[in-house]
Structures are given as C-alpha cells and as structure tokens.
Amino acid sequence: MNTFDPPAAAPRGIWPKSMLSARIAKFRELGLLGFIILLSIGVQLRNPSFLTLENINDMATNTAILGILAVGMMLVIVTRGIDLSIGATLALSGMIAAQTVSAFPEIPPVAVLLIGTVTGLVSGIVIGFLVSKIGILPIIATLGMMNIFRGLTFWTSGGKWVSAHQMPVDFKAIATGKLFGINNLIVIAIIIYVIAYYFVNHTRTGRQIYAVGSNPDSAVISGINRDKILWLVYSIMGGLSGLAGVLWVSKFASAQGDTASGYELSVIAACVLGGVSIAGGSGKISGIILGSVLLGILNNALPLINISAFWQTGIQGAIILAAVLINAIVKRGVDRNHLMRRKI
Amino acid sequence: MAEYMLELKGITKTFPGVKALDNVYFKLKPGEIHALMGENGAGKSTFIKVITGVHPADEGELYFNGQRVDIKNPTDAKRMGIAAIYQHVTCYPDLSVTENIFMGHEKIQKRTKRILWNDMHTAAEGLLKELGAGFSPKTLMGSLSVAQQQIVEIAKALSVDAKIIIMDEPTAALTKRESEDLYRIAEGLRDKGAAIIFISHRFEDMYRLASRVTVFRDSRYIGTWNVDEITNNDLIIAMVGREITQLFPKKEAQIGEELLRVEGLGRTGYFADVSFTLRRGEILGLTGLVGAGRTEVCQSLFGIERSDKGKVFLNGQEVNIRKPDDAMRKGMGYLPEDRQKQGLVLQWSIGRNITLSSLKKVSGKGVLNLEKEANLAKSLAEKMNVKAKSIFDLAGSLSGGNQQKVVFAKLLTTDVEVIILDEPTKGVDVGAKSAIYEIISDLACQGYGILMVSSEMPEIIGMCDRVAVMREGRITALLERHSITQEAILQAAMADERPLQQQY
Amino acid sequence: MEPRIVTNKQPFSYKRFFLQWEWMLVLLFLAITVMNMNLSEFYWDYENLRDATMGFLDKAFIVLPMVFVIILADIDISVASIVALSSVIMADLFNRGVPLELAMIICLVVGTVCGWINGMLIVKYKELSSVIITLSTMIIYRGIAYMILEDQAAGSFPDWFSYLGWGYVGSIPFILIVFTVFAVLFSLLLHKTVFGRQLYAMGNNTTAARFSGIRVDRIKVIVFTLAGLMAAVTALFLTSRMGSTRPNIAMGYELDVIAMVVLGGISTAGGKGRMIGAILAVFLIGFLRYGLGLVNVQAQILLIIIGVLLIAAVAVPQLKRSNRLTRNT
C-alpha cells in the first residue's frame, strides 16, 4: 500500500466523533429486549402459566411463520418498497399445496414444501417484474396482486375448504414434528435466519440491497443493477410466503380462501418494531427477530391476561404507529444534534 | 511515459438547447495539481462529466498517456483510473465507511464469494490513517460531517488506485481548518504521483495548491497558465472576460424610505446575527461563498424555514412570518435559486405558472375566471418579453432565460414591495442575462426594494448599491457603493480567521 | 424593444380532444354493455340497471375525495376502516339509546376526525409517507371498531333509515341523486376553483407550489379530512343498505376505490387526471360486476378482474412512457 506521512496537524480531535445515531440504533435493540423482558415478567405475575416450557414452545412455534415472513418483508422495506400481497400469496400457495396432498396423499412432505415455495416464488417474480421493469409503485402493484392471488385461491379451491381429514398424517407432521427435540417450524425459521444473516451481511448482492435502499441514484453510479435487486427482493418475499403457506396449512390443518387475510400487517408491524426504516436502507436481522418475538408474545399474552382477542388489531395498529413515529422523532433528534455541532 | 497523462482536444458537448462545452482543450501532466477555474455556468461541471464518462463528448479527441481513447461510460473512466470527488457527496448514509469506500469493488473470496470484511476494514483503516482521519471505518457514513465524508470519498478514490483525481469544489462547504487539511491531503496524493484536477471558485485554493491553471468562460476554453506567471487581475479578466460595468445597464433609482429591516436573525446550524436594512429603490447585494448561508437567510425571511432568533420589520412594523403566504401578504416576494424545482411547474403552460401565486386576483369567490387569468398572464408575459408563441406553451419547453422571465412575471403578479432574488442569472445564457439585469434595474426604478443574492462578482459589483458579504453563516462586511471592489468582497468572504467557537 | 405578441387563446385541436383517457373508458364501457347484453337478456332493463346502480354507488362517495388524494401523489388506504369505525359507532350509539339523527351526525363527525388525524400526521411527519401512516391508522380504526362491537352486529334501525340506501325519488334512486350532487360539487371544486388549481400544482411540484405561497399543509389536511368525511357518508348509505353493521364491514373497499380512481386515468405519480374519468370508472366497474353477477360469475373471479384492471391501468401509461424514452435515446 502506498503511504506518506499523515499530516501532523490533523490529529484525532479535528474530526469530532459523532456516532450518536449508531449508538441510538444499538440502544433501540437493547430497549426492545428490555421491553420484552419487562412485558414477560409483567404477564408472568398476572398469569403464572405464561412462562411454562409448553407455552414458550407454543409461542415460538406460532412466531416462527411470522418471523420467516419478516425476513422477506425486511428486504422489501429496505429497498423503500412494501408488499401487501403476502397474506394472499401465502393462502394461494397453501391452498395449492393442500390440494396436492389431498389428491396425492403419498407425496413426500419435502415435495409439498417445494411446490408451495415455487408457487410463492412465481407470484413474487410477477410482482418483482411489475415493480422493477414496469415501474409500478409497490403499494399499487401489491394491492392489485393481492386481489388476484386471493381470487385465484378461491378459484382453485372452488370456494371449498381443504380440511384436516383430507390431509395425510405425514403432511400435518411437518408442523408438529420435531428435530432434536425442537419443533420443525422453529428449526426451519432458524435455518432461514442463518441463511438470511449470511446473505445480507456477507454477500455482495445482500449489501447491494441496502445500497439501493440507502441511495438509489448513487447505486446506479456504483454500477449496481437496481432493477435486478428489486426483482430479487420481491421474488425472495414471494418464495418465503409460499414456504410459509405450506407451514401454515400444515400447522392449522386447514386451507381456506381467506387464510392469513390481513397477516401482512402483522409482518410489517414486526419489521417496523424491529427498527427497519420505512425510508429504506437500514434494518437488521437481530432487530426483526426481536420485533417478531415481541409481537408473538403480545398475541400469546393478551388472552392470558384476559384482554379480549378483539383488542389485538387495535393494539397492533397502535404499536406500528408508535414505532414509526418514535423512529421519526429519534431521527429528528439526531439531525438536530448534527446541526448544533456545526460552528455557527 | 507520455508528457501528458490526459489530453483533451476540441471537446464539444451539446444538450438540447445549450452548448455546454464548445471546442475545449485541456492538458494534465503527471504529478501536478491543475486548477480549473471559471464562473458559474462556464462549463466546469460538464467538463468533469465528460472525463468521468457520465456524459460522453459529442465531438473531440481524448488522449490517455498519449493513447487515443473513448470514455463512453463511468466504467471506462474507472478502468483508466479516473475518480471524481463531487461537491455534493454521493454516498450511502445508512452504510458503514468501509462499505462506502469499497462499494462496487468489494474484496471477496474467489471461490465462495464471501465478503472479506476483516480485509476491507483493515484496508479502509489504512486508507483513513493515511489521510489523517481519526474516525473508525465502521462508523455510519450518515453520522459524519461533510468534511469527513469528503475524506471518505478521497479514500474511495485511493482504494481503486486512481491516477487522476478530480475534486469538484471540495472546499465549498469546509471551514478554514478543514480546507487546510484537505490541501495537505491533496499535496500528499500529488507527491505519490497522482494528478489532480482541482475545481474551485476560490483564488486562495488555487494559489495554495495548483501549479497550473486553466480557465473556462461561457463554455469555451480561454487559456492555461503557470500559476506564478499570471497576475490576479489578468486571471479575473480571463474569467470574467469583459469590463465589468459594460454589461450592466444600471439606471440610477430614487432611493427612498426604509422598507425592510432585519435585526439579529439566526437559525441554529445555518446562520446567526444577520442584520441589515433595505430601502425603497435600492439593490442590496448578498454574496459570499456557496454554503455561507445566503439562501438560508432568504428562505427564512420568506417563511420557507423558520428562523429561531431575531426580528424582521417591514415598513417599520415588526412581522412574524411563518409561511410564504404570510410573506407575500406582508409585501415580500422571493425568486428561488432553483427555478426548475422551486420556481416553476414545468409540466404546466406559461400562463398557469404566471398566475399561480395570485390566483385570488383572477377569481371570484374561489372560482377561477379563465379569461381574466389569460389576460393577466398575457400582459405580464409581454411585459417581461418572454419569447413564446402563446401562454399555452409549456414552461418546460423554454430556454433558461425565458423560464427565469416567467418566474419574474409570476413574482410581479403579487402586490409586493420587497423582492428577494436568489441567483437570478444562474444557468442563463449571456444574452438573456443582460435582459434580466434590465428587468432588475427597472424594478428598482419603480420603487421596489431588491435583495439580490449572487455568487457572481461582476453582477454584484455592477448592479448593487450596497453589498453584504457572508461567511460561515455571519455577515462579515457591509460595503457601500463606492467601496465595493472585488478585493474587498473576496477578503470578507474568506478572511483568514480562526473558526468561530463551537456552539452547543 | 417591441413587445412580442403572445396569444392568449388556445386553438382547438382534434388530436388533443380525442387523445384523452376518458374516450378509452367510454369505449370500454360500451364494450362491457354489449358483452353484458349478450351474456344475459335481463341486463338491458331500466329497473335492473337502476337497482344495480344502487348496489355499487355506496363506495363511489369515497372515490371523489380519493381523486384529490391521488392527484396529490399520496394514497389513503385507511378509508375502508373509517367506514367501519363510523358505521359501528353510529349503530352502537343508536343501540344505546341515542336518537338515530344524532348518531348519524356523530357518524359524519367521526369520519371527519379520522381523516383529519391522517392529514395532521402526514403533515407533521413529512419524512413518513402517506402509505405507512394510513396503513397504521387503517389497522387502528378497524381495531377500535372491533373493540366496540367485538364479533357482534348492531342495527335494528327504524324503517326510515333504510330509505337512504333503498329509497326512490320518483323513479330515481335517492342514493343516485345524492351521488350526482356530490360528484358535481367535487368536479367543480377540482376543475373550476382556486383550490383545484392549487391541488394540481402540488401534485406536479409541491416545492414550487410552496414557494408560490400556496398553503400546502393546509390543503393536504383538507383533502385527507374530506376523504374521512366521504368515508362516513359511505358508512351511512352502506349501513342503510345492509340494515346492520359489523366491525368487518367494507373490508377491502380501499382497493376497489383506488382501482376505480387509477382506472379513471388519475396518475399515481400525481398532478394528472380528471374527475369525470374516475366517475366513468365507477360505473364501468359497477356494471361489469353486475353483468357478471347475472351470469353467476363468482365474486372471487371479480376480485381477479379488478386486480388485473388496476394493474393494467397503471402499467399501460408506464409502458407507453418507457417506449418513448427508448425511442428518444
């Protein structure tokens, strides 16, 4: 490496260390963790059956699907997009998978998972095409495709349910079975998180997703293929929704036209809670794990402390709004601090 | 090795309606710092974009180390070792410094394609140390100051082993001491054999750093000199190219009573202690370097951004302006700096643009009277001598000068007495410039009080009755007509002083 | 210098007149009519058509302000939840003994306040998009409706209340008359007033609008408040037609409404489009739905059709633009 003497008059002090925003980012995850712990303790005091092994396992299993979807949603939001179609994609893939197993009961579970994932992947590719190549706003494209996928779900099923007795035991075992004593859903979620962590942090493509979200114009100057990245994130989102669809149908042992209706909102809530910025460019795997866990606990704990299930929607909405507003206010504080530091 | 690292011959670049570069020459020796100077709109930025492949040249020849080359896109330029550091840093605020340095050429393991973070962090740390920066490569880009971000951009150029580094107005947003550090870095790079093209307004930068200087004016090549062979005066004439008073048709206006008085105006982080008065028929210039806070002062007066200290009086009455609507009601109008983004709705016709600020006048009870609107628009378009077939021509189809006339027409539909003009001739061709000066001068004669922000020295000297000079957010000099000189303004704009103490 | 003569009369151009999106909608409308007439002999019948109109006009009230919202290059996906919340509050109050007339006024107030909250949040937090703000309030408003009624229905309104959604003036449906009045009002507001001109200016270039002295924040709040108010008007008519209400009433209306607006030629990029287009789109989708209903096409297939229409309506202009771009370069 070429070297020359560092200028003597430029000691450390000249560049003020301004890592406030970084510190706040760290602080928010600790804060979230603290909040989860406090919430758990509070609920436990009200209802001792909360922190039992059985309930924790239950909660983790329930959160797994949410967590899987949050990975895809995080990537979409990082590129400044949003995907409202995932509930419908999930339902469509789940329905196709359920019909396949009810028609061919001897099909191996892995093949079913594959069928569901591929269905979701195709759905995601279509959305990615609309957003990246045609240039439709993500909200409009996914709102339209949501309707189309929902309609297709009803159409393929002829409006009928696929219920538990039409599904072979093997299929239902996907969600109930265990590997090394841990529920399969949790295992799958963990595998996906490990892959996702490696992907977003240690591959060029993963980093390019963040670059596109952080500054789309610079990304093009840096030679990043923006269209390709956008197409990719919606495809990943679709693939994960497809996988989640099979898991969902296996877990609840039924596939219906309105499966997971409105579930996309929970997923977005998990991301926003986990600190994924709606303005794009930032979001961490550890954050969305915490976000998903917090939502999972809330959903599980509210009935345990006698809060009506009908309050859940409202509470979820309030949490999203609060998280978004707090993010914005913290950001303003950081910007203001930067200004104060200027020498005027 | 060839005598010149980079040689450009007869480069011409045309954009729809504008010749941005007209038969331009440039020669860069290895290991030199070469200053490129010129007024706003002289073609400096287009010139960089030609070299970096963002806008390939239409005509002319490029030689790199004596070899004829074509630079068709940014990748070509990158391959040849050309890197540019832009005035407005283009970075990824949400990513770390390391990533910003290595974006597009990350170090990855050959087989697994894994990003080698440790290698990259170490390399980045080395580069930063070399440049004398004290922050860690893991810091988020968005949390750095502009000066620090510029260091990162330079590190980025070093990381690709750039042979030719272009710095576009790098000191514009820096304080004195930060600039001093930048000079040292530039010299260090030169001593290592890199050639640097240094673009700047500041004479100070040129004398401090460059060994040779090339001047562009009105998109044309004027000449190249050794810095120690050309006098300051000759350089100014080369840049400005004309006797300053010739171009300016300033008529003497009757200067009347005080219209606007500003006392101790301040906005945290942008400007402080700004005080001045403006009288009827007077043209008050507001100048200083880019980033000195001139536009911010104007926008605070007009209610775009709120100031947090100080008082404003209009016609002797203290006013509290919260939004542009208030300012216009109280009699103050503003011609924004960026007419395409802030002044016009480009998709709209000229007529609609002209009446946008004063729809009340062409409506009754909130309902538009289209005939009245068309008549008002027509009369003002003609008064401003806008060159167009009808008021239904799209604003976006006009040339820069004509667009500016439309914005003037819009300003005149409102009942204002004080007019703030923010860089009224920016990006306007020479012919249209004098027409705009005539308009400004006429307005002063009609009794408007005019506050004119400008970076162009001749304009300020030729047009203004008094001049306020700003530096780093404060007014450093208020010059009366007889004492307005190039030297006085330059001295006030960048006088050698310690940075003001930090405010918390 | 002699001032140039600038004309202030716009010459009539056949090209400009016929190259309007609305003509395509008219053609599409005729095509649907012909198709429906072939599909079913019951279609072309005054009374049938009239009654079908009553069935789809409820949500059309929201289309009117949504045109404003989308001209501003914003979006409001909370409107269906506002319908639900104002409807639920009205019915619940009535069932608790509040006079229906008062409950109806409160319904309108609730909708207005909900819309105002959306507008204020969007104006105060400019760094957040209207997508995320109205997404949050969409969940919250619906959530409050669930808190109030849980899984119950509320209703048993007096007979006169059903007149709103089912009644006639002579042989013309009451709802059609009310809609026509609102449609005319909103069209005039958009195309003939200062307010409308300012809306278009903001949609094309908010910064320039602000620098021209337009009170952009106030206009944005007004627009979102209008969306809330009209959602409450929809709530009145929809509740009247249903005879009772549940928290899940009007589910998915936001999509129908946005689809109609976009199909009506209002660009999601802002600043372009006319009210008449959106109104044509309301009838187009309404009659399409009615015709397909006559031949027993399932409601779910209609979902697909509306989704495809929405995407096609946005994609076609986009494709045209990118074609032109490629030709230029």
Side-chain angles (χ1 to χ4, degrees):
Chain A
M1 204 77 241
N2 47 1
T3 54
F4 56 82
D5 287 336
R12 305 176 69 85
I14 287 182
W15 317 112
K17 283 207 164 185
S18 42
M19 295 167 62
L20 194 66
S21 57
R23 226 176 286 146
I24 283 173
K26 224 168 243 162
F27 169 77
R28 27 162 328 124
E29 265 166 48
L30 281 180
L32 204 54
L33 192 62
F35 184 66
I36 290 174
I37 293 169
L38 282 180
L39 185 73
S40 306
I41 294 172
V43 174
Q44 175 72 8
L45 291 177
R46 290 282 296 273
N47 187 336
S49 67
F50 177 61
L51 285 181
T52 56
L53 202 59
E54 193 187 350
N55 193 42
I56 290 177
N57 189 33
D58 230 41
M59 228 159 27
T61 318
N62 285 330
T63 313
I65 294 178
L66 178 70
I68 292 173
L69 292 169
V71 171
M73 188 63 87
M74 178 181 86
L75 298 181
V76 171
I77 296 180
V78 162
T79 62
R80 305 186 173 186
I82 199 154
D83 190 341
L84 296 182
S85 73
I86 58 170
T89 312
L90 188 155
L92 178 62
S93 323
M95 179 59 77
I96 287 177
Q99 290 191 326
T100 314
V101 287
S102 68
F104 311 98
E106 62 287 346
I107 201 166
V110 176
V112 185
L113 283 174
L114 203 66
I115 290 172
T117 311
V118 169
T119 313
L121 191 63
V122 172
S123 315
I125 288 174
V126 173
I127 294 174
F129 175 77
L130 293 174
V131 171
S132 68
K133 291 292 170 188
I134 306 209
I136 303 180
L137 294 178
I139 175 118
I140 300 282
T142 57
L143 210 53
M145 293 313 286
M146 169 174 104
N147 254 21
I148 295 175
F149 295 150
R150 227 9 119 183
L152 284 176
T153 312
F154 279 101
W155 186 56
T156 49
S157 66
K160 293 189 204 70
W161 293 23
V162 181
S163 50
H165 64 89
Q166 291 163 276
M167 298 179 189
V169 183
D170 274 359
F171 177 69
K172 283 180 277 191
I174 298 176
T176 51
K178 287 181 179 179
L179 195 71
F180 311 123
I182 303 172
N183 181 295
N184 285 339
L185 291 187
I186 305 177
V187 174
I188 293 175
I190 291 174
I191 293 174
I192 286 174
Y193 268 89
V194 171
I195 296 175
Y197 181 82
Y198 182 83
F199 173 64
V200 299
N201 289 314
H202 293 282
T203 67
R204 285 179 78 162
T205 313
R207 296 316 299 168
Q208 287 177 353
I209 295 174
Y210 284 78
V212 166
S214 186
N215 189 341
D217 301 331
S218 291
V220 176
I221 295 175
S222 305
I224 295 170
N225 187 340
R226 186 165 155 268
D227 289 356
K228 190 190 88 180
I229 294 291
L230 287 184
W231 204 336
L232 178 75
V233 293
Y234 286 95
S235 305
I236 293 175
M237 178 80 262
L240 290 175
S241 312
L243 174 67
V246 183
L247 302 180
W248 182 293
V249 168
S250 159
K251 179 167 155 42
F252 295 100
S254 92
Q256 314 160 19
D258 60 353
T259 296
S261 170
Y263 202 62
E264 57 275 357
L265 303 177
S266 301
V267 178
I268 293 168
C271 288
V272 173
L273 265 182
V276 181
S277 160
I278 287 293
S282 72
K284 293 203 294 197
I285 293 285
S286 52
I288 56 170
I289 294 179
L290 289 174
S292 310
V293 167
L294 179 54
L295 265 198
I297 290 179
L298 277 176
N299 288 342
N300 177 280
L302 291 181
L304 286 183
I305 54 172
N306 294 323
I307 291 178
S308 153
F310 295 104
W311 283 60
Q312 282 184 11
T313 323
I315 291 176
Q316 210 170 68
I319 286 177
I320 299 189
L321 187 61
V324 175
L325 293 187
I326 289 171
N327 277 349
I329 292 167
V330 166
K331 178 88 185 353
R332 283 182 183 183
V334 171
D335 289 348
R336 191 168 166 72
N337 259 328
H338 277 306
L339 281 181
M340 300 286 279
R341 220 180 289 125
R342 282 170 57 162
K343 301 152 192 152
I344 287 170
Chain B
M1 204 185 224
E3 185 188 0
Y4 295 110
M5 269 186 107
L6 186 70
E7 198 177 346
L8 285 86
K9 287 185 185 166
I11 297 292
T12 296
K13 176 76 196 171
T14 315
F15 292 111
V18 206
K19 215 164 205 180
L21 282 180
D22 190 359
N23 196 23
V24 157
Y25 291 80
F26 188 80
K27 288 174 182 175
L28 184 68
K29 286 182 188 161
E32 76 165 341
I33 297 183
H34 193 135
L36 177 61
M37 302 192 73
E39 292 184 273
N40 283 335
K44 291 171 296 178
S45 347
T46 314
F47 179 72
I48 310 171
K49 286 181 177 150
V50 167
I51 302 180
T52 52
V54 178
H55 295 313
D58 298 334
E59 285 167 39
E61 295 166 357
L62 269 133
Y63 295 87
F64 182 70
N65 281 334
Q67 300 277 310
R68 173 85 199 266
V69 288
D70 271 332
I71 301 180
K72 286 195 283 295
N73 52 47
T75 325
D76 287 348
K78 213 171 181 176
R79 224 186 355 253
M80 288 158 54
I82 299 174
I85 294 151
Y86 292 101
Q87 187 178 353
H88 300 288
V89 185
T90 50
C91 66
Y92 304 100
D94 305 292
L95 306 185
S96 71
V97 167
T98 305
E99 285 201 83
N100 271 282
I101 293 177
F102 288 100
M103 183 58 69
H105 55 277
E106 296 90 344
K107 294 177 190 287
I108 52 172
Q109 207 175 48
K110 289 262 149 47
R111 222 162 38 79
T112 58
K113 304 280 183 207
R114 186 168 66 88
I115 295 182
L116 299 168
W117 280 114
N118 287 335
D119 291 9
M120 274 164 55
H121 281 314
T122 317
E125 185 137 35
L127 289 170
L128 291 177
K129 204 172 261 168
E130 200 177 308
L131 297 172
F135 52 87
S136 141
K138 292 180 184 170
T139 320
L140 275 191
M141 191 72 168
S143 66
L144 297 178
S145 72
V146 179
Q148 291 170 321
Q149 290 184 352
Q150 237 150 24
I151 302 277
V152 175
E153 292 284 315
I154 295 171
K156 188 173 179 176
L158 289 183
S159 74
V160 291
D161 249 342
K163 298 284 182 297
I164 298 172
I165 298 173
I166 304 163
M167 296 187 178
D168 185 5
E169 299 269 5
T171 54
L174 303 192
T175 61
K176 190 84 188 150
R177 291 186 66 182
E178 287 168 335
S179 309
E180 200 48 52
D181 292 325
L182 188 83
Y183 296 152
R184 262 190 286 273
I185 289 168
E187 285 165 346
L189 295 174
R190 175 194 60 196
D191 297 344
K192 291 302 301 168
I196 297 176
I197 304 172
F198 200 96
I199 295 160
S200 177
H201 269 101
R202 297 197 195 180
F203 283 75
E204 198 189 24
D205 289 342
M206 183 202 71
Y207 286 123
R208 174 70 176 72
L209 276 180
S211 49
R212 295 199 304 153
V213 54
T214 292
V215 174
F216 287 0
R217 186 209 318 148
D218 298 332
S219 312
R220 291 202 186 82
Y221 173 79
I222 301 302
T224 302
W225 297 272
N226 285 334
V227 167
D228 43 17
E229 283 172 6
I230 183 167
T231 64
N232 201 347
N233 226 2
D234 291 343
L235 195 58
I236 290 170
I237 289 172
M239 282 168 67
V240 179
R242 51 198 110 88
E243 280 298 309
I244 278 169
T245 43
Q246 272 179 0
L247 185 72
F248 301 98
K250 179 161 168 63
K251 301 168 200 144
E252 286 310 315
Q254 189 73 41
I255 294 190
E257 79 278 10
E258 176 186 299
L259 283 178
L260 171 73
R261 181 152 47 104
V262 179
E263 285 179 4
L265 202 68
R267 180 163 173 242
T268 311
Y270 293 98
F271 57 86
D273 285 336
V274 171
S275 306
F276 58 84
T277 59
L278 176 66
R279 284 172 293 172
R280 195 176 283 284
E282 184 183 39
I283 302 178
L284 172 66
L286 186 59
T287 188
L289 300 173
V290 174
R294 303 165 310 178
T295 296
E296 286 79 1
V297 170
C298 296
Q299 296 198 348
S300 286
L301 285 175
F302 190 57
I304 299 284
E305 304 285 350
R306 304 278 305 272
S307 53
D308 37 30
K309 281 193 205 85
K311 290 178 184 161
V312 178
F313 299 86
L314 273 168
N315 284 320
Q317 297 267 304
E318 181 170 358
V319 289
N320 180 15
I321 291 167
R322 299 154 167 273
K323 48 186 181 299
D325 186 42
D326 293 345
M328 287 164 63
R329 263 173 222 266
K330 304 253 162 70
M332 190 155 53
Y334 177 59
L335 181 123
E337 181 181 9
D338 184 339
R339 69 178 156 270
Q340 304 218 336
K341 290 199 181 105
Q342 301 166 333
L344 293 169
V345 178
L346 294 175
Q347 301 93 325
W348 274 12
S349 67
I350 298 169
R352 284 189 165 201
N353 270 295
I354 290 178
T355 55
L356 185 58
S357 285
S358 51
L359 289 169
K360 268 212 187 83
K361 282 194 180 167
V362 293
S363 60
K365 297 199 173 105
V367 178
L368 290 168
N369 179 340
L370 293 183
E371 202 186 321
K372 217 168 158 186
E373 186 191 3
N375 289 336
L376 177 69
K378 174 181 153 76
S379 71
L380 275 160
E382 283 177 352
K383 194 170 159 196
M384 289 294 113
N385 204 6
V386 176
K387 295 200 175 62
K389 276 203 280 303
S390 85
I391 57 166
F392 298 97
D393 289 0
L394 294 189
S397 68
L398 300 178
S399 70
N402 271 316
Q403 284 183 353
Q404 194 69 308
K405 288 180 189 168
V406 173
V407 187
F408 265 103
K410 182 168 97 172
L411 195 55
L412 295 186
T413 59
T414 57
D415 299 312
V416 295
E417 291 175 307
V418 174
I419 296 183
I420 305 173
L421 306 172
D422 198 346
E423 300 278 10
T425 59
K426 189 172 167 183
V428 169
D429 53 84
V430 183
K433 263 187 188 175
S434 47
I436 286 174
Y437 294 136
E438 211 171 294
I439 294 174
I440 296 173
S441 187
D442 283 346
L443 292 176
C445 289
Q446 287 163 32
Y448 287 96
I450 295 174
L451 176 65
M452 184 169 86
V453 173
S454 175
S455 311
E456 293 191 35
M457 204 68 82
E459 189 170 300
I460 287 283
I461 296 171
M463 292 295 293
C464 295
D465 297 305
R466 286 188 302 146
V467 176
V469 188
M470 286 188 78
R471 182 181 71 238
E472 289 170 24
R474 285 163 197 271
I475 291 189
T476 46
L478 251 168
L479 307 171
E480 294 292 331
R481 183 91 204 235
H482 58 271
S483 56
I484 302 176
T485 60
Q486 184 110 20
E487 289 72 28
I489 293 175
L490 279 178
Q491 181 152 27
M494 45 203 191
D496 196 350
E497 225 180 65
R498 295 290 110 212
L500 297 151
Q501 65 197 34
Q502 301 200 355
Q503 269 190 351
Y504 284 95
Chain C
M1 209 192 304
E2 192 66 18
R4 289 174 60 92
I5 305 303
V6 182
T7 53
N8 60 350
K9 295 275 185 295
Q10 186 160 31
F12 182 81
S13 145
Y14 285 102
K15 200 176 152 199
R16 189 160 353 109
F17 182 70
F18 283 107
L19 275 182
Q20 296 184 82
W21 179 264
E22 284 79 6
W23 288 114
M24 200 211 68
L25 292 179
V26 170
L27 287 181
L28 210 57
F29 190 81
L30 290 177
I32 287 171
T33 309
V34 172
M35 180 189 80
N36 282 343
M37 285 167 73
N38 284 322
L39 279 176
S40 163
E41 58 202 282
F42 303 109
Y43 178 77
W44 197 247
D45 174 274
Y46 172 70
E47 282 183 16
N48 282 347
L49 282 176
R50 180 189 69 190
D51 294 348
T53 310
M54 295 169 77
F56 65 72
L57 271 188
D58 53 358
K59 65 190 76 161
F61 291 100
I62 319 178
V63 169
L64 305 172
M66 189 65 88
V67 169
F68 290 8
V69 171
I70 294 187
I71 281 181
L72 287 183
D74 275 313
I75 202 158
D76 185 348
I77 49 178
S78 72
V79 283
S81 296
I82 299 180
V83 173
L85 181 57
S86 41
S87 163
V88 160
I89 288 181
M90 172 179 71
D92 191 56
L93 285 177
F94 171 66
N95 288 2
R96 286 169 198 271
V98 175
L100 186 54
E101 293 84 351
L102 182 59
M104 285 166 67
I105 292 170
I106 293 175
C107 167
L108 294 176
V109 172
V110 168
T112 311
V113 169
C114 288
W116 179 80
I117 292 175
N118 282 340
M120 287 308 278
L121 285 172
I122 289 167
V123 166
K124 294 286 170 207
Y125 294 91
K126 293 208 174 60
E127 59 269 52
L128 302 171
S129 64
S130 51
V131 173
I132 192 70
I133 299 262
T134 57
L135 184 75
S136 326
T137 54
M138 160 174 120
I139 311 172
I140 293 175
Y141 296 154
R142 180 79 68 181
I144 299 174
Y146 272 108
M147 289 178 192
I148 294 170
L149 274 192
E150 307 212 325
D151 56 351
Q152 303 298 306
S156 46
F157 297 107
D159 286 344
W160 65 264
F161 183 63
S162 65
Y163 178 80
L164 282 184
W166 297 97
Y168 297 92
V169 177
S171 72
I172 303 169
F174 178 67
I175 187 171
L176 180 60
I177 292 173
V178 178
F179 176 73
T180 310
V181 170
F182 273 118
V184 169
L185 281 179
F186 272 83
S187 305
L188 290 177
L189 190 57
L190 182 62
H191 297 301
K192 297 288 175 204
T193 66
V194 171
F195 178 81
R197 178 66 67 78
Q198 293 178 331
L199 271 185
Y200 280 112
M202 284 172 66
N204 276 306
N205 186 344
T206 316
T207 318
R210 203 156 77 94
F211 276 76
S212 304
I214 296 173
R215 300 165 74 174
V216 291
D217 285 358
R218 197 176 74 149
I219 288 184
K220 198 166 263 197
V221 172
I222 291 176
V223 165
F224 277 88
T225 309
L226 273 179
L229 171 66
M230 294 311 282
V233 172
T234 292
L236 290 180
F237 284 102
L238 182 63
T239 316
S240 161
R241 281 195 68 82
M242 310 280 277
S244 70
T245 189
R246 285 173 175 280
N248 64 0
I249 195 172
M251 210 57 129
Y253 267 31
E254 68 278 356
L255 180 91
D256 284 7
V257 168
I258 292 169
M260 287 170 187
V261 174
V262 170
L263 185 63
I266 288 89
S267 156
T268 50
K272 268 197 209 82
R274 266 173 299 178
M275 194 55 92
I276 183 71
I279 295 171
L280 277 172
V282 166
F283 284 89
L284 201 146
I285 291 183
F287 283 129
L288 176 68
R289 188 170 273 178
Y290 165 64
L292 293 181
L294 280 181
V295 288
N296 290 326
V297 172
Q298 287 164 332
Q300 286 74 31
I301 304 300
L302 282 166
L303 277 182
I304 302 182
I305 293 174
I306 292 180
V308 170
L309 275 178
L310 171 63
I311 295 209
V314 200
V316 169
Q318 289 278 5
L319 285 175
K320 225 166 61 187
R321 184 174 319 155
S322 56
N323 263 341
R324 196 173 330 123
L325 279 180
T326 44
R327 226 179 300 137
N328 271 352
T329 50

